[in-house]
Amino acid sequence: MSNVSDPYREFLRRTRRSREFHERSRKSTALEVVGTVDMPHPVYIAEGSGSRVVDVDGNEYIDLSMGFGCHVLGHAHPEITAAVSEAAALGVQFGIHTPCQQPLAELLCEAAACADLVMFCNTGTEATMYGIRAARAHTGKQGIAVFEGAYHGAHDGVLVEAADGSPRDRPAAAAMGWGVPEAAVEQVLMLPYRHEAAFDLIRGNRGRLAVVLVEPVQGANPTLDCGDFLHRLAEVCREAGVLLMFDEVITGFRLAYGGAQEVFGVTPDLAAYGKALGGGLPIGAVAGRADIMRRFEWQKHREQQDKVFSGGTFGGNPLTMAAGLAAVSRLRSHPELYDRLAGHGRRLEEEIGRFCRERSLPMQVLTARSMIHLRFQRGRIVSARDVDRSLAEAEREFYTRLMLEGVLIPGDHLALTSTAHTDGDITRVIEAVEAAASATRGL
Ligand SMILES: Cc1ncc(COP(=O)(O)O)c(C=O)c1O
């Protein structure tokens, strides 16, 4: 299978229709999605069910992208599909009030320790944007701090990364790509991840920082040994008078029903949600302390000095609310599903980890339950900046071979399982990783 001598040519042979779609789409679309996997062309998915997706050429894959994390219950879960069909028949969107938001809002308030109140929007990007705005309004300060290696969405306010070559204990913020205003970058203090210096930087910038935004488990670096770090972070923020916002866009309803807040026992002031909360439909939500969240209560023609603007045609639309309610209700009534998700990460870490160690491969498996990241790296990994670029070509070949083995992991290489993944699927993923790694040159 994946031990063909030229995996790229084999990939092209198997994905001819995808290639046709890609060539056609380039005439009308600047960018469809950020690349599925770094390959000659993307594969186009025709359908998905449970743990599987099938591409337009008829190739079936065990999917470890899960809609970039939306589908904790797997693709096309029958309860979600039924709820969406029922809601669609009643009209998909009204803009004005419907009774649809309240049930999901109540579940989120119950699940998330920080959530006195919630506000729905459409994406994780919007959720972090609104959360930051509320934090600025509440504290009267402008600056925000984020950690190297984090991703918090695509708005200007967070499109920063650690500048290449900047010191480990004091990374500089650089715009991620062109078009991000310098003024936005200047508002961001970049913090070293899981590094003592981060706490000093927060203390030293307390006068200008409104909020520290953190992925409690980084998608690029998923591990569960960050509990102490998060406890200390919360303490330092509290002492410094800086708000703490968890970005639970991936971890919410995935790591545990109560997200990272439940797993680590840390309660931030605010949290951003997305992905799993919407059961596969577009969603974002800000949740947090009532005194901060009340600032969203904007009303036309009233004194608005201390209010925060939010808007959006689709926020809290009935279709998304129906999908989210079906997904979250199912997860709530089946807590054992989280044991299954945790078991996936455990097995993948143990078995692939053992294989890599036995063969002295420069690959490490990082896991936080159903969040799994294969890192091509020798030596200890602390932050997402610990990257060995000399292994980039081998990594590309490995992922191509993995697709030939019938396993799909998205371009950011964060693999995510769902409750639909069986023990057999996990066994097959392990076999596929072993076969692809064994055949990859330069590993
Ligand atoms: C941790 C995190 N925050 C925010 C976002 C942005 O969410 P969305 O893509 O829904 O805008 C993402 C998306 O991958 C994410 O992983």
Side-chain angles (χ1 to χ4, degrees), residues 68 70 122-128 150-154 215-219 247-251 272-275 282-284 412 414:
F68 293 155
C70 303
N122 304 294
T123 60
T125 294
E126 279 182 57
T128 62
Y151 179 64
H152 298 296
E215 275 182 276
V217 169
Q218 287 195 328
D247 180 342
E248 295 242 35
V249 171
I250 293 184
T251 53
Y273 287 84
K275 300 200 191 256
I283 197 165
D412 60 7
L414 173 63

PDB file of all heavy atoms in Angstrom, residues 68 70 122-128 150-154 215-219 247-251 272-275 282-284 412 414, ligand 1:
ATOM      1  N   PHE A  68     -12.252  19.699  11.440  1.00  0.00           N
ATOM      2  CA  PHE A  68     -11.370  20.530  12.273  1.00  0.00           C
ATOM      3  C   PHE A  68     -11.832  20.558  13.726  1.00  0.00           C
ATOM      4  O   PHE A  68     -11.623  21.539  14.437  1.00  0.00           O
ATOM      5  CB  PHE A  68     -11.231  21.961  11.728  1.00  0.00           C
ATOM      6  CG  PHE A  68     -10.508  22.051  10.408  1.00  0.00           C
ATOM      7  CD1 PHE A  68     -10.745  23.113   9.554  1.00  0.00           C
ATOM      8  CD2 PHE A  68      -9.592  21.097  10.030  1.00  0.00           C
ATOM      9  CE1 PHE A  68     -10.074  23.203   8.332  1.00  0.00           C
ATOM     10  CE2 PHE A  68      -8.910  21.170   8.818  1.00  0.00           C
ATOM     11  CZ  PHE A  68      -9.161  22.226   7.967  1.00  0.00           C
ATOM     12  N   CYS A  70     -15.129  19.809  14.896  1.00  0.00           N
ATOM     13  CA  CYS A  70     -16.550  20.058  15.221  1.00  0.00           C
ATOM     14  C   CYS A  70     -17.298  18.793  15.626  1.00  0.00           C
ATOM     15  O   CYS A  70     -18.230  18.852  16.426  1.00  0.00           O
ATOM     16  CB  CYS A  70     -17.291  20.593  14.005  1.00  0.00           C
ATOM     17  SG  CYS A  70     -16.578  22.059  13.349  1.00  0.00           S
ATOM     18  N   ASN A 122     -20.908  33.321  15.439  1.00  0.00           N
ATOM     19  CA  ASN A 122     -20.900  32.311  14.377  1.00  0.00           C
ATOM     20  C   ASN A 122     -19.633  31.478  14.237  1.00  0.00           C
ATOM     21  O   ASN A 122     -19.646  30.455  13.550  1.00  0.00           O
ATOM     22  CB  ASN A 122     -21.159  32.983  13.026  1.00  0.00           C
ATOM     23  CG  ASN A 122     -22.446  33.756  13.048  1.00  0.00           C
ATOM     24  OD1 ASN A 122     -23.517  33.170  13.162  1.00  0.00           O
ATOM     25  ND2 ASN A 122     -22.353  35.062  12.970  1.00  0.00           N
ATOM     26  N   THR A 123     -18.546  31.961  14.795  1.00  0.00           N
ATOM     27  CA  THR A 123     -17.269  31.242  14.645  1.00  0.00           C
ATOM     28  C   THR A 123     -16.436  31.445  15.907  1.00  0.00           C
ATOM     29  O   THR A 123     -16.693  32.359  16.701  1.00  0.00           O
ATOM     30  CB  THR A 123     -16.434  31.807  13.471  1.00  0.00           C
ATOM     31  OG1 THR A 123     -16.174  33.192  13.732  1.00  0.00           O
ATOM     32  CG2 THR A 123     -17.111  31.649  12.142  1.00  0.00           C
ATOM     33  N   GLY A 124     -15.406  30.619  16.011  1.00  0.00           N
ATOM     34  CA  GLY A 124     -14.454  30.794  17.108  1.00  0.00           C
ATOM     35  C   GLY A 124     -13.724  32.122  16.973  1.00  0.00           C
ATOM     36  O   GLY A 124     -13.368  32.757  17.963  1.00  0.00           O
ATOM     37  N   THR A 125     -13.479  32.533  15.734  1.00  0.00           N
ATOM     38  CA  THR A 125     -12.825  33.823  15.481  1.00  0.00           C
ATOM     39  C   THR A 125     -13.628  34.959  16.111  1.00  0.00           C
ATOM     40  O   THR A 125     -13.092  35.821  16.809  1.00  0.00           O
ATOM     41  CB  THR A 125     -12.708  34.055  13.949  1.00  0.00           C
ATOM     42  OG1 THR A 125     -11.815  33.084  13.420  1.00  0.00           O
ATOM     43  CG2 THR A 125     -12.208  35.444  13.622  1.00  0.00           C
ATOM     44  N   GLU A 126     -14.930  34.959  15.863  1.00  0.00           N
ATOM     45  CA  GLU A 126     -15.779  36.005  16.454  1.00  0.00           C
ATOM     46  C   GLU A 126     -15.768  35.913  17.977  1.00  0.00           C
ATOM     47  O   GLU A 126     -15.797  36.934  18.670  1.00  0.00           O
ATOM     48  CB  GLU A 126     -17.217  35.857  15.962  1.00  0.00           C
ATOM     49  CG  GLU A 126     -17.470  36.426  14.601  1.00  0.00           C
ATOM     50  CD  GLU A 126     -18.937  36.259  14.234  1.00  0.00           C
ATOM     51  OE1 GLU A 126     -19.822  36.735  14.956  1.00  0.00           O
ATOM     52  OE2 GLU A 126     -19.201  35.607  13.214  1.00  0.00           O
ATOM     53  N   ALA A 127     -15.751  34.694  18.473  1.00  0.00           N
ATOM     54  CA  ALA A 127     -15.824  34.532  19.935  1.00  0.00           C
ATOM     55  C   ALA A 127     -14.610  35.167  20.607  1.00  0.00           C
ATOM     56  O   ALA A 127     -14.744  35.894  21.600  1.00  0.00           O
ATOM     57  CB  ALA A 127     -15.932  33.045  20.293  1.00  0.00           C
ATOM     58  N   THR A 128     -13.403  34.923  20.066  1.00  0.00           N
ATOM     59  CA  THR A 128     -12.225  35.537  20.706  1.00  0.00           C
ATOM     60  C   THR A 128     -12.239  37.048  20.487  1.00  0.00           C
ATOM     61  O   THR A 128     -11.853  37.814  21.361  1.00  0.00           O
ATOM     62  CB  THR A 128     -10.894  34.929  20.197  1.00  0.00           C
ATOM     63  OG1 THR A 128     -10.754  35.162  18.802  1.00  0.00           O
ATOM     64  CG2 THR A 128     -10.813  33.447  20.481  1.00  0.00           C
ATOM     65  N   ALA A 150       0.112  29.611  19.777  1.00  0.00           N
ATOM     66  CA  ALA A 150      -1.344  29.523  19.906  1.00  0.00           C
ATOM     67  C   ALA A 150      -2.019  29.971  18.616  1.00  0.00           C
ATOM     68  O   ALA A 150      -1.437  30.695  17.817  1.00  0.00           O
ATOM     69  CB  ALA A 150      -1.807  30.398  21.055  1.00  0.00           C
ATOM     70  N   TYR A 151      -3.238  29.542  18.429  1.00  0.00           N
ATOM     71  CA  TYR A 151      -4.086  30.075  17.351  1.00  0.00           C
ATOM     72  C   TYR A 151      -5.412  30.469  17.982  1.00  0.00           C
ATOM     73  O   TYR A 151      -6.020  29.678  18.699  1.00  0.00           O
ATOM     74  CB  TYR A 151      -4.306  29.025  16.249  1.00  0.00           C
ATOM     75  CG  TYR A 151      -5.187  29.537  15.136  1.00  0.00           C
ATOM     76  CD1 TYR A 151      -4.775  30.597  14.332  1.00  0.00           C
ATOM     77  CD2 TYR A 151      -6.450  28.991  14.906  1.00  0.00           C
ATOM     78  CE1 TYR A 151      -5.587  31.090  13.316  1.00  0.00           C
ATOM     79  CE2 TYR A 151      -7.267  29.468  13.887  1.00  0.00           C
ATOM     80  CZ  TYR A 151      -6.820  30.519  13.092  1.00  0.00           C
ATOM     81  OH  TYR A 151      -7.627  31.008  12.091  1.00  0.00           O
ATOM     82  N   HIS A 152      -5.839  31.694  17.708  1.00  0.00           N
ATOM     83  CA  HIS A 152      -7.090  32.166  18.300  1.00  0.00           C
ATOM     84  C   HIS A 152      -8.059  32.697  17.244  1.00  0.00           C
ATOM     85  O   HIS A 152      -8.958  33.468  17.573  1.00  0.00           O
ATOM     86  CB  HIS A 152      -6.802  33.260  19.330  1.00  0.00           C
ATOM     87  CG  HIS A 152      -5.967  32.793  20.486  1.00  0.00           C
ATOM     88  ND1 HIS A 152      -6.405  31.829  21.373  1.00  0.00           N
ATOM     89  CD2 HIS A 152      -4.729  33.137  20.895  1.00  0.00           C
ATOM     90  CE1 HIS A 152      -5.468  31.612  22.285  1.00  0.00           C
ATOM     91  NE2 HIS A 152      -4.437  32.382  22.014  1.00  0.00           N
ATOM     92  N   GLY A 153      -7.856  32.316  15.978  1.00  0.00           N
ATOM     93  CA  GLY A 153      -8.786  32.748  14.950  1.00  0.00           C
ATOM     94  C   GLY A 153      -8.132  33.721  13.988  1.00  0.00           C
ATOM     95  O   GLY A 153      -6.937  34.019  14.081  1.00  0.00           O
ATOM     96  N   ALA A 154      -8.951  34.248  13.063  1.00  0.00           N
ATOM     97  CA  ALA A 154      -8.406  34.955  11.899  1.00  0.00           C
ATOM     98  C   ALA A 154      -8.614  36.465  11.939  1.00  0.00           C
ATOM     99  O   ALA A 154      -8.434  37.132  10.928  1.00  0.00           O
ATOM    100  CB  ALA A 154      -9.034  34.371  10.642  1.00  0.00           C
ATOM    101  N   GLU A 215      -4.929  29.144  24.994  1.00  0.00           N
ATOM    102  CA  GLU A 215      -5.532  27.840  24.682  1.00  0.00           C
ATOM    103  C   GLU A 215      -5.122  26.953  25.850  1.00  0.00           C
ATOM    104  O   GLU A 215      -3.924  26.650  25.995  1.00  0.00           O
ATOM    105  CB  GLU A 215      -4.888  27.246  23.426  1.00  0.00           C
ATOM    106  CG  GLU A 215      -5.434  27.672  22.102  1.00  0.00           C
ATOM    107  CD  GLU A 215      -4.706  26.931  20.975  1.00  0.00           C
ATOM    108  OE1 GLU A 215      -3.630  27.381  20.564  1.00  0.00           O
ATOM    109  OE2 GLU A 215      -5.215  25.900  20.523  1.00  0.00           O
ATOM    110  N   PRO A 216      -6.033  26.507  26.689  1.00  0.00           N
ATOM    111  CA  PRO A 216      -5.615  25.748  27.866  1.00  0.00           C
ATOM    112  C   PRO A 216      -4.853  24.481  27.482  1.00  0.00           C
ATOM    113  O   PRO A 216      -3.964  24.049  28.214  1.00  0.00           O
ATOM    114  CB  PRO A 216      -6.926  25.439  28.592  1.00  0.00           C
ATOM    115  CG  PRO A 216      -8.016  25.765  27.642  1.00  0.00           C
ATOM    116  CD  PRO A 216      -7.481  26.703  26.611  1.00  0.00           C
ATOM    117  N   VAL A 217      -5.212  23.896  26.357  1.00  0.00           N
ATOM    118  CA  VAL A 217      -4.367  22.868  25.731  1.00  0.00           C
ATOM    119  C   VAL A 217      -4.127  23.354  24.310  1.00  0.00           C
ATOM    120  O   VAL A 217      -5.078  23.587  23.568  1.00  0.00           O
ATOM    121  CB  VAL A 217      -5.078  21.496  25.700  1.00  0.00           C
ATOM    122  CG1 VAL A 217      -4.310  20.524  24.827  1.00  0.00           C
ATOM    123  CG2 VAL A 217      -5.226  20.941  27.103  1.00  0.00           C
ATOM    124  N   GLN A 218      -2.876  23.546  23.953  1.00  0.00           N
ATOM    125  CA  GLN A 218      -2.603  24.087  22.622  1.00  0.00           C
ATOM    126  C   GLN A 218      -2.843  23.034  21.546  1.00  0.00           C
ATOM    127  O   GLN A 218      -2.354  21.902  21.658  1.00  0.00           O
ATOM    128  CB  GLN A 218      -1.153  24.560  22.523  1.00  0.00           C
ATOM    129  CG  GLN A 218      -0.876  25.840  23.279  1.00  0.00           C
ATOM    130  CD  GLN A 218       0.454  26.472  22.884  1.00  0.00           C
ATOM    131  OE1 GLN A 218       1.401  25.783  22.548  1.00  0.00           O
ATOM    132  NE2 GLN A 218       0.519  27.790  22.929  1.00  0.00           N
ATOM    133  N   GLY A 219      -3.562  23.422  20.491  1.00  0.00           N
ATOM    134  CA  GLY A 219      -3.796  22.508  19.376  1.00  0.00           C
ATOM    135  C   GLY A 219      -2.480  22.058  18.762  1.00  0.00           C
ATOM    136  O   GLY A 219      -2.343  20.922  18.319  1.00  0.00           O
ATOM    137  N   ASP A 247      -9.351  30.038  25.591  1.00  0.00           N
ATOM    138  CA  ASP A 247      -9.868  29.749  24.266  1.00  0.00           C
ATOM    139  C   ASP A 247     -10.204  28.262  24.249  1.00  0.00           C
ATOM    140  O   ASP A 247      -9.328  27.411  24.101  1.00  0.00           O
ATOM    141  CB  ASP A 247      -8.811  30.102  23.210  1.00  0.00           C
ATOM    142  CG  ASP A 247      -9.295  29.813  21.794  1.00  0.00           C
ATOM    143  OD1 ASP A 247     -10.271  29.050  21.649  1.00  0.00           O
ATOM    144  OD2 ASP A 247      -8.691  30.327  20.846  1.00  0.00           O
ATOM    145  N   GLU A 248     -11.487  27.964  24.439  1.00  0.00           N
ATOM    146  CA  GLU A 248     -11.945  26.557  24.481  1.00  0.00           C
ATOM    147  C   GLU A 248     -12.597  26.165  23.153  1.00  0.00           C
ATOM    148  O   GLU A 248     -13.464  25.291  23.119  1.00  0.00           O
ATOM    149  CB  GLU A 248     -12.940  26.363  25.643  1.00  0.00           C
ATOM    150  CG  GLU A 248     -12.333  26.566  27.024  1.00  0.00           C
ATOM    151  CD  GLU A 248     -12.397  25.314  27.902  1.00  0.00           C
ATOM    152  OE1 GLU A 248     -12.267  24.198  27.371  1.00  0.00           O
ATOM    153  OE2 GLU A 248     -12.594  25.487  29.129  1.00  0.00           O
ATOM    154  N   VAL A 249     -12.170  26.825  22.088  1.00  0.00           N
ATOM    155  CA  VAL A 249     -12.803  26.545  20.794  1.00  0.00           C
ATOM    156  C   VAL A 249     -12.612  25.072  20.397  1.00  0.00           C
ATOM    157  O   VAL A 249     -13.536  24.436  19.887  1.00  0.00           O
ATOM    158  CB  VAL A 249     -12.278  27.520  19.707  1.00  0.00           C
ATOM    159  CG1 VAL A 249     -12.739  27.110  18.316  1.00  0.00           C
ATOM    160  CG2 VAL A 249     -12.752  28.943  20.011  1.00  0.00           C
ATOM    161  N   ILE A 250     -11.421  24.530  20.672  1.00  0.00           N
ATOM    162  CA  ILE A 250     -11.235  23.089  20.415  1.00  0.00           C
ATOM    163  C   ILE A 250     -11.571  22.270  21.661  1.00  0.00           C
ATOM    164  O   ILE A 250     -12.249  21.246  21.585  1.00  0.00           O
ATOM    165  CB  ILE A 250      -9.782  22.777  19.998  1.00  0.00           C
ATOM    166  CG1 ILE A 250      -9.472  23.406  18.641  1.00  0.00           C
ATOM    167  CG2 ILE A 250      -9.570  21.251  19.905  1.00  0.00           C
ATOM    168  CD1 ILE A 250      -8.090  23.071  18.103  1.00  0.00           C
ATOM    169  N   THR A 251     -11.122  22.712  22.819  1.00  0.00           N
ATOM    170  CA  THR A 251     -11.234  21.876  24.024  1.00  0.00           C
ATOM    171  C   THR A 251     -12.661  21.778  24.579  1.00  0.00           C
ATOM    172  O   THR A 251     -13.006  20.800  25.231  1.00  0.00           O
ATOM    173  CB  THR A 251     -10.296  22.411  25.129  1.00  0.00           C
ATOM    174  OG1 THR A 251     -10.573  23.814  25.319  1.00  0.00           O
ATOM    175  CG2 THR A 251      -8.838  22.235  24.758  1.00  0.00           C
ATOM    176  N   ALA A 272     -13.910  31.422  25.285  1.00  0.00           N
ATOM    177  CA  ALA A 272     -14.435  31.434  23.915  1.00  0.00           C
ATOM    178  C   ALA A 272     -14.710  29.999  23.493  1.00  0.00           C
ATOM    179  O   ALA A 272     -13.905  29.107  23.755  1.00  0.00           O
ATOM    180  CB  ALA A 272     -13.409  32.058  22.968  1.00  0.00           C
ATOM    181  N   TYR A 273     -15.858  29.802  22.859  1.00  0.00           N
ATOM    182  CA  TYR A 273     -16.248  28.467  22.379  1.00  0.00           C
ATOM    183  C   TYR A 273     -16.522  28.503  20.884  1.00  0.00           C
ATOM    184  O   TYR A 273     -16.724  29.554  20.295  1.00  0.00           O
ATOM    185  CB  TYR A 273     -17.521  27.986  23.108  1.00  0.00           C
ATOM    186  CG  TYR A 273     -17.253  27.605  24.532  1.00  0.00           C
ATOM    187  CD1 TYR A 273     -17.229  28.577  25.523  1.00  0.00           C
ATOM    188  CD2 TYR A 273     -16.966  26.294  24.871  1.00  0.00           C
ATOM    189  CE1 TYR A 273     -16.932  28.237  26.830  1.00  0.00           C
ATOM    190  CE2 TYR A 273     -16.676  25.946  26.177  1.00  0.00           C
ATOM    191  CZ  TYR A 273     -16.659  26.916  27.147  1.00  0.00           C
ATOM    192  OH  TYR A 273     -16.362  26.579  28.432  1.00  0.00           O
ATOM    193  N   GLY A 274     -16.574  27.327  20.291  1.00  0.00           N
ATOM    194  CA  GLY A 274     -16.917  27.179  18.878  1.00  0.00           C
ATOM    195  C   GLY A 274     -17.067  25.702  18.591  1.00  0.00           C
ATOM    196  O   GLY A 274     -17.467  24.917  19.449  1.00  0.00           O
ATOM    197  N   LYS A 275     -16.738  25.323  17.405  1.00  0.00           N
ATOM    198  CA  LYS A 275     -16.621  23.924  16.973  1.00  0.00           C
ATOM    199  C   LYS A 275     -17.668  22.975  17.579  1.00  0.00           C
ATOM    200  O   LYS A 275     -18.808  22.993  17.174  1.00  0.00           O
ATOM    201  CB  LYS A 275     -15.203  23.437  17.235  1.00  0.00           C
ATOM    202  CG  LYS A 275     -14.175  24.296  16.443  1.00  0.00           C
ATOM    203  CD  LYS A 275     -12.873  23.601  16.266  1.00  0.00           C
ATOM    204  CE  LYS A 275     -11.805  24.538  15.736  1.00  0.00           C
ATOM    205  NZ  LYS A 275     -11.465  24.391  14.357  1.00  0.00           N
ATOM    206  N   PRO A 282     -21.907  26.145  11.959  1.00  0.00           N
ATOM    207  CA  PRO A 282     -21.033  27.250  12.371  1.00  0.00           C
ATOM    208  C   PRO A 282     -21.507  27.885  13.674  1.00  0.00           C
ATOM    209  O   PRO A 282     -22.679  28.254  13.800  1.00  0.00           O
ATOM    210  CB  PRO A 282     -21.175  28.270  11.232  1.00  0.00           C
ATOM    211  CG  PRO A 282     -21.780  27.538  10.100  1.00  0.00           C
ATOM    212  CD  PRO A 282     -22.560  26.398  10.671  1.00  0.00           C
ATOM    213  N   ILE A 283     -20.582  27.983  14.617  1.00  0.00           N
ATOM    214  CA  ILE A 283     -20.953  28.572  15.908  1.00  0.00           C
ATOM    215  C   ILE A 283     -19.738  29.199  16.579  1.00  0.00           C
ATOM    216  O   ILE A 283     -18.589  28.810  16.332  1.00  0.00           O
ATOM    217  CB  ILE A 283     -21.554  27.508  16.858  1.00  0.00           C
ATOM    218  CG1 ILE A 283     -22.322  28.195  18.009  1.00  0.00           C
ATOM    219  CG2 ILE A 283     -20.493  26.570  17.421  1.00  0.00           C
ATOM    220  CD1 ILE A 283     -23.232  27.272  18.794  1.00  0.00           C
ATOM    221  N   GLY A 284     -20.002  30.181  17.400  1.00  0.00           N
ATOM    222  CA  GLY A 284     -19.024  30.706  18.346  1.00  0.00           C
ATOM    223  C   GLY A 284     -19.816  31.124  19.569  1.00  0.00           C
ATOM    224  O   GLY A 284     -21.036  31.345  19.484  1.00  0.00           O
ATOM    225  N   ASP A 412      -2.878  21.061   9.589  1.00  0.00           N
ATOM    226  CA  ASP A 412      -2.170  21.546  10.777  1.00  0.00           C
ATOM    227  C   ASP A 412      -1.663  20.372  11.621  1.00  0.00           C
ATOM    228  O   ASP A 412      -1.043  20.552  12.660  1.00  0.00           O
ATOM    229  CB  ASP A 412      -3.074  22.455  11.620  1.00  0.00           C
ATOM    230  CG  ASP A 412      -4.324  21.743  12.088  1.00  0.00           C
ATOM    231  OD1 ASP A 412      -4.436  20.516  11.883  1.00  0.00           O
ATOM    232  OD2 ASP A 412      -5.199  22.408  12.673  1.00  0.00           O
ATOM    233  N   LEU A 414      -3.051  18.364  13.535  1.00  0.00           N
ATOM    234  CA  LEU A 414      -3.741  18.011  14.783  1.00  0.00           C
ATOM    235  C   LEU A 414      -4.787  16.960  14.424  1.00  0.00           C
ATOM    236  O   LEU A 414      -5.728  17.233  13.680  1.00  0.00           O
ATOM    237  CB  LEU A 414      -4.419  19.234  15.404  1.00  0.00           C
ATOM    238  CG  LEU A 414      -5.291  18.923  16.621  1.00  0.00           C
ATOM    239  CD1 LEU A 414      -4.459  18.352  17.771  1.00  0.00           C
ATOM    240  CD2 LEU A 414      -6.033  20.173  17.086  1.00  0.00           C
TER     241      LEU A 414
HETATM  242  C1  LIG B   1      -8.089  27.339  19.487  1.00  0.00           C
HETATM  243  C2  LIG B   1      -8.839  27.989  18.363  1.00  0.00           C
HETATM  244  N1  LIG B   1      -9.372  29.203  18.558  1.00  0.00           N
HETATM  245  C3  LIG B   1     -10.076  29.832  17.607  1.00  0.00           C
HETATM  246  C4  LIG B   1     -10.269  29.253  16.377  1.00  0.00           C
HETATM  247  C5  LIG B   1     -11.051  29.957  15.319  1.00  0.00           C
HETATM  248  O1  LIG B   1     -12.273  29.310  15.139  1.00  0.00           O
HETATM  249  P1  LIG B   1     -13.056  29.434  13.744  1.00  0.00           P
HETATM  250  O2  LIG B   1     -12.241  28.700  12.727  1.00  0.00           O
HETATM  251  O3  LIG B   1     -14.401  28.817  14.012  1.00  0.00           O
HETATM  252  O4  LIG B   1     -13.150  30.881  13.441  1.00  0.00           O
HETATM  253  C6  LIG B   1      -9.731  27.979  16.122  1.00  0.00           C
HETATM  254  C7  LIG B   1      -9.912  27.324  14.819  1.00  0.00           C
HETATM  255  O5  LIG B   1      -9.317  26.344  14.472  1.00  0.00           O
HETATM  256  C8  LIG B   1      -8.988  27.340  17.141  1.00  0.00           C
HETATM  257  O6  LIG B   1      -8.442  26.144  16.942  1.00  0.00           O
END
